[in-house]
Amino acid sequence: MATVVTRTVASMPQRTAVQTWEKIVAIVAPDPKSPARAELQKAAGVAAASIASEAPKDDGFIIHGNGPQVRVYCVFGDEAVSGDGVNEDALQASPTEGDWQMSVPCLQEDLDWSQKKLKSDTKRVTARETGEGVAANESNNRDPSAALSVNLQEFLKS
Amino acid sequence: MSAVTVNVTTYTSAHTIAHVTSKMLLLLKEIIREVGLDPSKLADEWENLERGVSTWLKSRHLNQLTLEIYNPRTDSLVSRWDLDVIYGYGNDETFWADTEAIRYSITKAGMVASQCNYRFIIYTSPGRPDVSGWGPCTALSTEGFSRFSIGSAIGGNGIGTEISYWKKV
């Protein structure tokens, strides 16, 4: 059974787009000296543009390939300031060790340049259009019992 | 008699800075893409831009963020977009940004050739704190161009932004 772990990060106006990205990176790649940190830094500009467009509101950053799939959403406006629905807790295990990939949500009008930019800068981070998913089974559940949680946003959509 | 709970969000100046900064850069992205250029260069400079804009908004030295679109062969201006900062704008604790107005205005301003390049200029008041990655420069001549105002584009509880573009006439 595929598992999905979600986190929800407070974004604008609690944080700028770059500060939001830095928080996301700190959650999914907690070791500041890890190769994943350096790899994710290459995607900072595209990720910040995605966040500024509020694309990750309903379509999270998806990290898959190592353990449960991790989806990181952002909240904006009053919710970001009040902290309603925010969950920035550390993950039980880093999803960016070993063979991992990240998918960045992008608005349709930003998809083409974002894909080209990420393709030229990084081999692990790609862009997808909002509304498009990454299959939950695109993960290696080395320890399925490690982090099983309800994906509330997906549940409420159904 | 039933009790009613009302949650009131209190915004700080830090919230205003974060909102206006991020939305100014968002507007740049919209303009660059809609005039037919590749926003990849903006993505490369996003962190530098954010650091400069947020620092100088906070110190209230930021007056204008400009996007210069130029012909790289002749180093001459092709088009220019100005985001003017207005301090003391709308202290009503609302945050907004109007990207649709930009898209509409771009149809009037016109597309540019894909071979064009672009760069960003920040105009500040004297006495600004230094920000790494930023240094003095000279803007390209606007001789032969006219400035057209679009109006307010961003509002953020005490700081607003008005946008205008330059077009050769």
Side-chain angles (χ1 to χ4, degrees):
Chain A
M1 184 182 121
T3 57
V4 175
V5 179
T6 65
R7 290 292 181 269
T8 304
V9 169
S11 187
M12 304 173 298
Q14 185 65 21
R15 296 184 174 100
T16 65
V18 169
Q19 289 167 344
T20 305
W21 173 242
E22 289 171 347
K23 183 63 185 176
I24 292 168
V25 170
I27 291 172
V28 303
D31 180 359
K33 295 178 180 175
S34 65
R37 275 289 178 102
E39 196 68 22
L40 291 169
Q41 176 60 31
K42 298 173 186 173
V46 171
S50 165
I51 293 165
S53 300
E54 302 191 8
K57 185 176 181 179
D58 298 315
D59 299 79
F61 291 88
I62 299 177
I63 304 95
H64 59 93
N66 180 36
Q69 188 184 92
V70 176
R71 298 183 186 182
V72 183
Y73 297 87
C74 296
V75 291
F76 301 90
D78 289 352
E79 287 181 324
V81 175
S82 68
D84 288 347
V86 170
N87 178 0
E88 300 177 350
D89 292 347
L91 298 166
Q92 290 186 8
S94 172
T96 55
E97 291 177 359
D99 189 16
W100 60 274
Q101 299 284 318
M102 174 185 272
S103 171
V104 177
C106 291
L107 302 183
Q108 186 271 332
E109 54 266 38
D110 288 321
L111 188 62
D112 184 54
W113 73 265
S114 297
Q115 285 180 327
K116 289 174 181 169
K117 175 67 176 155
L118 290 173
K119 190 174 183 180
S120 72
D121 291 349
T122 168
K123 293 179 179 176
R124 292 191 181 274
V125 186
T126 57
R128 73 181 194 286
E129 185 177 345
T130 51
E132 298 293 322
V134 172
N137 58 8
E138 285 189 27
S139 58
N140 297 323
N141 294 308
R142 294 173 185 173
D143 182 5
S145 65
L148 185 63
S149 69
V150 174
N151 181 353
L152 188 58
Q153 297 199 33
E154 293 297 316
F155 175 75
L156 291 173
K157 282 185 204 169
S158 63
Chain B
M1 180 178 162
S2 60
V4 177
T5 302
V6 178
N7 295 315
V8 178
T9 303
T10 303
Y11 294 112
T12 66
S13 60
H15 294 139
T16 298
I17 302 299
H19 170 76
V20 175
T21 299
S22 297
K23 293 304 181 184
M24 287 179 84
L25 270 61
L26 173 67
L27 287 184
L28 290 181
K29 184 199 72 175
E30 297 289 311
I31 294 165
I32 291 165
R33 191 194 63 230
E34 293 297 316
V35 300
L37 298 177
D38 183 352
S40 292
K41 184 178 178 184
L42 169 65
D44 283 333
E45 298 187 23
W46 195 289
E47 289 179 283
N48 267 339
L49 274 165
E50 191 179 294
R51 187 166 56 249
V53 170
S54 63
T55 299
W56 289 321
L57 274 178
K58 187 177 179 182
S59 68
R60 299 176 82 86
H61 286 93
L62 179 62
N63 296 325
Q64 184 177 295
L65 172 59
T66 288
L67 167 67
E68 269 193 350
I69 300 171
Y70 62 96
N71 183 331
R73 285 186 299 171
T74 60
D75 209 26
S76 58
L77 189 68
V78 172
S79 178
R80 171 174 155 165
W81 293 77
D82 295 336
L83 279 67
D84 293 295
V85 176
I86 303 159
Y87 297 99
Y89 179 94
N91 293 292
D92 54 359
E93 298 219 336
T94 57
F95 289 139
W96 60 272
D98 186 359
T99 54
E100 289 304 315
I102 303 302
R103 293 187 188 190
Y104 174 74
S105 300
I106 287 169
T107 60
K108 289 186 175 181
M111 305 274 283
V112 300
S114 61
Q115 299 91 335
C116 288
N117 204 342
Y118 58 87
R119 66 173 184 165
F120 309 100
I121 299 174
I122 289 180
Y123 293 88
T124 58
S125 300
R128 68 177 186 274
D130 286 336
V131 175
S132 64
W134 289 92
C137 72
T138 302
L140 294 173
S141 171
T142 55
E143 188 177 346
F145 286 74
S146 290
R147 194 179 198 231
F148 299 90
S149 176
I150 296 172
S152 300
I154 300 168
N157 190 33
I159 300 179
T161 301
E162 290 191 346
I163 191 163
S164 55
Y165 65 90
W166 294 75
K167 187 176 181 180
K168 202 157 198 173
V169 291

